[in-house]
Amino acid sequence: MSARGIIKSYYLVIKKLENGGYPTKKELTDFLVDEGFKVSLRTFDRYLQAVRDEFDINILYDFTRKGYYIEEKEKGD
């Protein structure tokens, strides 16, 4: 995949998580597939880690809601 495609997939994941709703890994990967990306569950794990590392966005899993979310940063961070 091109660098542009990878960045777009990261953007889509971030936007989906910003919309809330605690999507599951399957829902997020299905969303990317619907957007034209070929993504396995393992590739998706790599995407999440890259977003965390490259963009300093803390993506967490909520075991109660069984889905992912972006942890809000406190003011001044």
Side-chain angles (χ1 to χ4, degrees), residues 57-72:
I57 296 174
N58 201 11
I59 299 172
L60 302 172
Y61 183 81
D62 186 309
F63 288 94
T64 304
R65 295 182 173 147
K66 296 182 175 140
Y68 290 90
Y69 69 99
I70 295 176
E71 182 180 49
E72 296 293 322

Side-chain angles (χ1 to χ4, degrees), residues 18-37:
E18 284 180 340
N19 288 333
Y22 297 87
T24 65
K25 184 185 293 188
K26 176 137 178 41
E27 290 170 336
L28 289 165
T29 56
D30 287 348
F31 171 70
L32 288 173
V33 168
D34 290 345
E35 293 293 323
F37 294 93

Side-chain angles (χ1 to χ4, degrees), residues 8-20:
K8 183 176 180 186
S9 65
Y10 294 167
Y11 170 79
L12 290 170
V13 168
I14 292 166
K15 284 298 173 192
K16 181 77 169 170
L17 291 171
E18 284 180 340
N19 288 333

